[in-house]
Amino acid sequence: MQRRNTQQRRLIYDILSRTDSHPTADWIYERVKRYIPNISLGTVYRNLKVLKDEGLILEISDGKQSRYDARIDDHYHFRCDVCGNVYDIEYDIIEINPKVDQLRRSCGFKVSRFNIEFYGICRSCARGEESEKNN
Amino acid sequence: MQRRNTQQRRLIYDILSRTDSHPTADWIYERVKRYIPNISLGTVYRNLKVLKDEGLILEISDGKQSRYDARIDDHYHFRCDVCGNVYDIEYDIIEINPKVDQLRRSCGFKVSRFNIEFYGICRSCARGEESEKNN
DNA sequence: GTATATGCAAACAATTTGCACGCCT
DNA sequence: AGGCGTGCAAATTGTTTGCATATAC
């Protein structure tokens, strides 16, 4: 399929690229509206799907909602149990990879990728602050 | 809150305990109906939540849906990209845990738990079979 | 007896989709 | 010009909830 480079698609990707907050579709929608006031939420969802299909962004599942990430290099995520925000953890490739490779070879499945996610309470929530929700 | 040991709750837990297919609420509902035909889906959801709160089962998020697991000891999951089914991988605690612990201590967050998930194509799908969907 | 649990249906929230029109290329 | 993309609203999907009744204890 021949893809068009629309204003909407460009802006959605641009906004997602400029944040590290792993936002939801709705958060992105609110931001994009500042520039294209009559954009629809459906368009945001459609473009996020396109960008994902093209491998430009990642979709992170949050149980009920999806979050999106324009950072596609190897890294992990930490999710705060209190505010729900997602933070990046650098990919400790030297330490983990050989061990995971060992497991993936021996587990009996053809593993194409894996994902580690950490959970706990983020710094602001530990301090009792109200975190700005990125959703 | 004082909990009652109802027929419905007992059966839901029993059915979940006897499968390793990590089923969805709807799959469980269909099974329970064989014994309690007029049970409602809402009751299944309510009881799954109770069982989870009591720590008897785990909820596994599958993007849009939830899946449930009565196996609460440490183990990993493998999810097939084709059929969506979830399989158990034995927890190779000696190999992985120290490395993950190292990462969780050094990542800068207060990590209370973590989760590793593997993705790929399961045996039946690799053979081109139609897998029975557990959802 | 009484509070917890149930069945039912309506409500919800996140996401997807059908359709007529609009705008990249 | 042609077809992909859009806005809008309705439809779908998974899950939750209010309420009157039933049941475990």
Side-chain angles (χ1 to χ4, degrees), chain B residues 76-104:
Chain B
Y76 302 126
H77 290 130
F78 171 86
R79 189 187 303 272
C80 177
D81 290 326
V82 178
C83 64
N85 287 345
V86 175
Y87 303 88
D88 291 321
I89 294 183
E90 295 317 309
Y91 198 96
D92 190 355
I93 199 161
I94 309 278
E95 292 302 328
I96 296 277
N97 249 20
K99 294 301 177 187
V100 173
D101 269 341
Q102 209 167 303
L103 183 60
R104 73 197 286 181

Side-chain angles (χ1 to χ4, degrees), chain A residues 93-106:
Chain A
I93 199 162
I94 310 275
E95 293 301 328
I96 296 282
N97 250 20
K99 293 302 176 188
V100 173
D101 270 343
Q102 209 168 304
L103 182 59
R104 70 200 288 181
R105 276 197 310 274
S106 63

Side-chain angles (χ1 to χ4, degrees), chain A residues 78-82 119-127, chain B residues 109-112:
Chain A
F78 171 86
R79 189 188 303 273
C80 176
D81 290 326
V82 177
Y119 305 88
I121 299 175
C122 77
R123 294 180 201 81
S124 346
C125 286
R127 286 196 222 97
Chain B
F109 292 96
K110 211 180 237 174
V111 173
S112 64

Side-chain angles (χ1 to χ4, degrees), chain B residues 2 4 6 8-9 39-40 43 46:
Chain B
Q2 174 68 355
R4 287 185 194 167
T6 61
Q8 287 86 338
R9 183 128 72 226
I39 195 174
S40 79
T43 295
R46 272 184 291 230

Side-chain angles (χ1 to χ4, degrees), chain B residues 42-79:
Chain B
T43 295
V44 173
Y45 275 108
R46 272 184 291 230
N47 277 306
L48 287 169
K49 176 158 292 180
V50 168
L51 292 167
K52 182 189 166 191
D53 287 347
E54 310 222 301
L56 290 168
I57 68 171
L58 295 175
E59 187 175 0
I60 312 170
S61 147
D62 178 13
K64 179 150 298 190
Q65 281 187 100
S66 282
R67 288 165 170 275
Y68 299 88
D69 194 347
R71 202 183 142 180
I72 53 173
D73 65 307
D74 278 341
H75 65 291
Y76 302 126
H77 290 130
F78 171 86
R79 189 187 303 272

